[in-house]
Amino acid sequence: NAGVTQTPKFRILKIGQSMTLQCTQDMNHNYMYWYRQDPGMGLKLIYYSVGAGITDKGEVPNGYNVSRSTTEDFPLRLELAAPSQTSVYFCASKGAGNQPQHFGDGTRLSIL
Amino acid sequence: QQPVQSPQAVILREGEDAVINCSSSKALYSVHWYRQKHGEAPVFLMILLKGGEQKGHEKISASFNEKKQQSSLYLTASQLSYSGTYFCGTEIGGTSYGKLTFGQGTILTVHP
């Protein structure tokens, strides 16, 4: 099992560019999450999904969009990249009930 | 609201013990503990559910005091491999779709 896979691992964007961070899981988990982690800080929830076709905002959703067309995939889109979005982005998934979240390896994004 | 972790950092020699605390101002349903090494994804350690349950995993255990809305992580006879940043993630309510709010982290350094 691959678990949670994120691509790309690293990316540099220019201000105003857009991009999609990919996240896929092979554990048939309904729940998926996107977090950002700024240097020396904890993780902050951007968006989450409880199943295909259902998404909702987390704590810091501004500047981001998500979609969930399948159980496996939960892409995160940045429309107009800003320097404040420089961060490490983690995707996570979990099964039903009191289960732990499983994290991908992260995408390190720099916006210059 | 973000849970508060204490201490912010702790330095140990191999074999010494440490306690990391996580406090919330809100009534909690569960507390999740993760360890993150530099440049890597968070790795799940354990979940504590409301009810004052104490769990253990080898030499790492944790407790959840429902009255104080506080969880404590106990690391005994520390090993070099315990070094990293420890995060607590708190869940409010059993119907919150597994959404976690993470603390700011506690940096643990174990020296030979």
Side-chain angles (χ1 to χ4, degrees):
Chain A
N1 278 346
V4 179
T5 303
Q6 291 184 237
T7 56
K9 294 192 183 304
F10 304 93
R11 184 74 184 269
I12 298 174
L13 282 183
K14 294 184 178 179
I15 294 172
Q17 287 185 322
S18 59
M19 78 163 292
T20 300
L21 282 66
Q22 301 292 343
C23 175
T24 187
Q25 51 92 9
D26 62 0
M27 296 174 281
N28 201 33
H29 286 166
N30 281 329
Y31 299 91
M32 295 188 74
Y33 311 87
W34 272 107
Y35 295 93
R36 60 176 287 173
Q37 184 177 33
D38 297 333
M41 305 294 285
L43 297 97
K44 292 190 181 297
L45 183 65
I46 306 171
Y47 270 95
Y48 69 100
S49 171
V50 301
I54 306 170
T55 64
D56 205 350
K57 297 177 181 178
E59 182 184 358
V60 289
N62 290 344
Y64 307 94
N65 276 302
V66 294
S67 60
R68 184 96 182 268
S69 57
T70 66
T71 299
E72 295 78 18
D73 300 309
F74 190 38
L76 177 72
R77 183 153 180 88
L78 283 71
E79 289 294 349
L80 290 171
S84 62
Q85 293 177 306
T86 292
S87 191
V88 180
Y89 291 84
F90 287 102
C91 178
S93 73
K94 86 169 192 75
N98 299 316
Q99 297 297 315
Q101 292 186 17
H102 300 266
F103 285 83
D105 289 336
T107 294
R108 283 147 187 81
L109 181 64
S110 293
I111 298 162
L112 306 174
Chain B
Q1 190 166 356
Q2 184 181 29
V4 177
Q5 289 185 231
S6 62
Q8 291 187 343
V10 60
I11 300 174
L12 300 174
R13 294 245 178 240
E14 261 188 306
E16 293 181 337
D17 303 340
V19 180
I20 300 171
N21 297 307
C22 173
S23 297
S24 174
S25 59
K26 295 189 174 182
L28 301 176
Y29 173 75
S30 67
V31 180
H32 301 223
W33 285 98
Y34 287 81
R35 176 171 59 209
Q36 184 179 33
K37 293 188 181 285
H38 185 69
E40 299 181 6
V43 174
F44 170 74
L45 294 175
M46 63 190 72
I47 295 175
L48 284 301
L49 300 177
K50 70 176 183 178
E53 184 177 359
Q54 182 155 357
K55 283 198 162 186
H57 176 70
E58 296 182 345
K59 296 178 183 177
I60 300 175
S61 62
S63 64
F64 180 16
N65 187 320
E66 193 176 342
K67 285 186 178 179
K68 293 184 178 180
Q69 299 304 323
Q70 177 176 304
S71 178
S72 296
L73 186 71
Y74 307 95
L75 301 101
T76 58
S78 59
Q79 306 168 13
L80 295 176
S81 61
Y82 286 5
S83 292
T85 302
Y86 289 76
F87 292 98
C88 67
T90 57
E91 182 180 7
I92 298 171
T95 57
S96 61
Y97 308 114
K99 291 185 294 179
L100 297 178
T101 303
F102 285 90
Q104 80 280 15
T106 295
I107 301 172
L108 179 72
T109 306
V110 182
H111 290 298

